[in-house]
Amino acid sequence: MKKKIIKTISGAMAAAIILSGCNSPQLKIDSEDEEAVEDSGEADSENESDEESTNESEEASTKETEDEETEAKESDADSSADASDADEESDSAKKDNDNDSKKKTDESEFEDITDYDSTVMLDGEELTEDELSDIQDFLNQQENNGFVATSYRTPDKANWNEVFYGGAGIENCDYPDEALDAYLDAIGEDFVEYDLIALSGDDVRSYVESKTGITDFDISLLGGFTYIEEYDILFDQVSDTNYVNVVCEEGIRRDDLIQVLVYGEMQMVGELGTYRRISLIETGDSDNPYMFYSNRELWEDYADSVIEASVYGTDETITCAISGTAYGPDIAIIEDNAVEDIIYPRLSDIDLSDFNDVKEIAFCDVNDDDLTDMVLILSDGDDTVAVVCDAHEYYEGYIEYSQGSSAVTIWLSDNVKKLTADNVIEYILNHQDEYNEL
């Protein structure tokens, strides 16, 4: 398109030059004709035919001059019209190019420039203490802190519910009573019980663009909010916070890419309490100095062991990182080097504090609800128990797991002679009515 525009503009300019070139010689010719007429007038007038001839020449010359001036004006008009058309086409092409550029950003076509899968920092110029302090202040600002505790390879993969939990520092918008009523109707409540968050769609889209470069953000990605489309407002209620005060321990700069290693001060960064490697892009804008690019939780530091858990009836596996605690094992589900969820097996009537030896993990829909449940085989060195953590949908697209049932664990111990993941799953599938009653 750009080449075509240049060609059109050049053509218009060439036409103008040619037309202008034709007019100049013609004007010179007209001037010589006028001098000829004057000479003819000063000559001997005794011969009437000569005078008549001279008059006829003068009239012809005048008419020719008028015709040529009219032709020149028409040519200039045509040239202006061609140039105007070229300008219009150029403006149209510019809009097309702008739209193409916007489309590319909208599609969130990010390239992994941070060596995300690696557990170490990129090579680069080491940041000074002052630079680390400035970035630490930036990350601890309310409007930026939501990007700290969620893992993402590229910004379009961020957990937006974590980013916007508590409002992301955005002031509540003015909303009409009708919008609030529509929200309460949507959640089946009569009144607001906790702190109300009300974010306008425009504020959310503008925020995401300024923090990540993503344009035309898809509001539906905020599954934890209730979106009232008629008013373009997102509502939620909160009674706590996901704010994490972080410390920047070290960092590097490579061109306009910044990487910092952070950990939580007095609190955990995320739920695992591990280091995170956050990558930022310097913008050169003092009001918005960095955009978020990636956040890699270094979950390998957390794991005591890693198990490739089987998915019953398939060849698939799910990576699980296990960490022993004073209350029993924590099981982190890892996907694309991000901690997708953490399961905390805890039984009300059975102490699992010594059962940190995880022998097996398997996933299977044991209660026929189309959600994949987790089966654990645990040992304390002497005894072995089976714990089933049922999956349930917390909200659309987000799955949570129960901590397990003491009754189910006792039932399995009484009926399954050898506690293996396959044996437990097969027994439950063959006795689903009994299992569901428990």
Side-chain angles (χ1 to χ4, degrees):
M1 178 65 75
K2 187 175 181 181
K3 292 182 179 179
K4 181 179 178 182
I5 295 167
I6 293 173
K7 184 177 180 181
T8 303
I9 295 174
S10 300
M13 293 176 64
I17 293 171
I18 292 171
L19 291 172
S20 176
C22 288
N23 289 339
S24 296
Q26 188 63 53
L27 290 174
K28 184 176 181 181
I29 292 172
D30 292 344
S31 177
E32 291 173 352
D33 287 345
E34 289 174 359
E35 291 177 2
V37 171
E38 290 176 1
D39 290 342
S40 176
E42 292 174 357
D44 187 7
S45 58
E46 292 178 358
N47 192 333
E48 292 181 359
S49 61
D50 289 343
E51 184 176 358
E52 289 176 1
S53 176
T54 301
N55 290 338
E56 289 175 358
S57 297
E58 182 177 1
E59 289 175 2
S61 175
T62 302
K63 186 176 184 302
E64 182 179 355
T65 300
E66 290 175 353
D67 290 343
E68 289 167 350
E69 287 178 351
T70 300
E71 182 178 338
K73 290 180 181 179
E74 291 176 351
S75 297
D76 289 340
D78 291 341
S79 177
S80 298
D82 289 341
S84 177
D85 290 342
D87 289 341
E88 289 178 3
E89 187 171 354
S90 177
D91 291 340
S92 176
K94 183 178 179 182
K95 291 178 181 178
D96 289 342
N97 289 337
D98 290 342
N99 290 335
D100 290 342
S101 176
K102 184 177 181 181
K103 181 180 179 182
K104 183 174 182 180
T105 306
D106 292 347
E107 292 171 350
S108 302
E109 294 178 353
F110 297 99
E111 179 184 358
D112 184 6
I113 59 175
T114 64
D115 198 15
Y116 181 83
D117 293 315
S118 173
T119 59
V120 299
M121 303 273 283
L122 286 172
D123 292 331
E125 178 187 354
E126 189 173 339
L127 297 181
T128 66
E129 290 297 325
D130 288 342
E131 289 172 327
L132 285 174
S133 179
D134 289 342
I135 294 172
Q136 179 174 302
D137 291 342
F138 175 82
L139 295 176
N140 283 320
Q141 291 174 12
Q142 189 71 43
E143 64 182 275
N144 301 316
N145 196 255
F147 282 98
V148 170
T150 170
S151 300
Y152 42 95
R153 178 182 293 271
T154 49
D156 55 319
K157 304 299 183 184
N159 183 332
W160 298 107
N161 295 317
E162 288 287 345
V163 171
F164 283 97
Y165 192 88
I170 303 173
E171 291 187 8
N172 277 4
C173 66
D174 294 328
Y175 54 85
D177 292 340
E178 294 80 3
L180 180 60
D181 291 341
Y183 161 64
L184 292 174
D185 287 343
I187 64 173
E189 299 291 345
D190 297 324
F191 57 91
V192 174
E193 185 175 1
Y194 304 108
D195 294 334
L196 182 68
I197 305 296
L199 307 179
S200 77
D202 285 342
D203 284 346
V204 167
R205 286 182 281 268
S206 176
Y207 171 89
V208 171
E209 183 171 359
S210 68
K211 298 299 179 183
T212 68
I214 299 172
T215 59
D216 290 341
F217 177 70
D218 184 359
I219 294 294
S220 68
L221 294 175
L222 274 72
F225 283 73
T226 300
Y227 181 51
I228 307 302
E229 186 174 4
E230 180 181 356
Y231 299 95
D232 193 28
I233 297 176
L234 292 134
F235 287 100
D236 192 22
Q237 298 179 59
V238 296
S239 59
D240 56 4
T241 180
N242 67 340
Y243 182 87
V244 179
N245 195 55
V246 299
V247 174
C248 289
E249 185 167 280
E250 62 180 275
I252 62 97
R253 172 185 285 104
R254 178 186 284 187
D255 298 325
D256 61 352
L257 176 67
I258 299 287
Q259 277 194 341
V260 288
L261 190 66
V262 306
Y263 64 89
E265 185 180 47
M266 304 298 293
Q267 300 180 59
M268 294 185 294
V269 181
E271 296 186 76
L272 296 181
T274 60
Y275 281 98
R276 285 179 175 271
R277 187 186 63 220
I278 298 175
S279 297
L280 306 164
I281 303 295
E282 285 189 299
T283 65
D285 181 357
S286 58
D287 294 329
N288 185 43
Y290 308 103
M291 289 198 298
F292 290 90
Y293 190 90
S294 73
N295 184 335
R296 165 76 149 91
E297 183 170 3
L298 301 175
W299 59 269
E300 294 88 346
D301 294 340
Y302 155 87
D304 293 327
S305 61
V306 178
I307 291 179
E308 292 298 325
S310 62
V311 179
Y312 187 78
T314 74
D315 294 329
E316 298 177 15
T317 61
I318 296 175
T319 302
C320 295
I322 297 97
S323 176
T325 75
Y327 308 99
D330 291 352
I331 315 295
I333 297 176
I334 311 298
E335 183 177 334
D336 193 25
N337 267 326
V339 179
E340 289 296 306
D341 196 6
I342 305 175
I343 294 89
Y344 306 96
R346 308 288 187 264
L347 301 178
S348 57
D349 299 325
I350 300 174
D351 183 8
L352 294 180
S353 59
D354 293 328
F355 285 81
N356 281 312
D357 183 7
V358 181
K359 295 295 186 182
E360 286 186 86
I361 303 176
F363 289 87
C364 178
D365 179 10
V366 297
N367 53 6
D368 198 26
D369 64 354
D370 295 327
L371 298 176
T372 304
D373 310 297
M374 173 184 277
V375 176
L376 302 169
I377 306 299
L378 311 177
S379 173
D380 66 354
D382 296 321
D383 297 322
T384 300
V385 296
V387 178
V388 181
C389 299
D390 286 333
H392 61 275
E393 192 171 46
Y394 182 62
Y395 54 78
E396 186 177 356
Y398 185 76
I399 306 300
E400 285 193 340
Y401 289 86
S402 71
Q403 293 185 335
S405 165
S406 297
V408 169
T409 294
I410 294 171
W411 174 66
L412 291 170
S413 295
D414 290 343
N415 292 281
V416 181
K417 290 184 179 181
K418 186 175 182 179
L419 290 172
T420 67
D422 284 347
N423 289 347
V424 166
I425 291 172
E426 288 176 7
Y427 188 82
I428 295 174
L429 294 178
N430 290 329
H431 301 82
Q432 275 199 341
D433 290 342
E434 293 180 50
Y435 176 79
N436 290 332
E437 288 178 5
L438 294 170

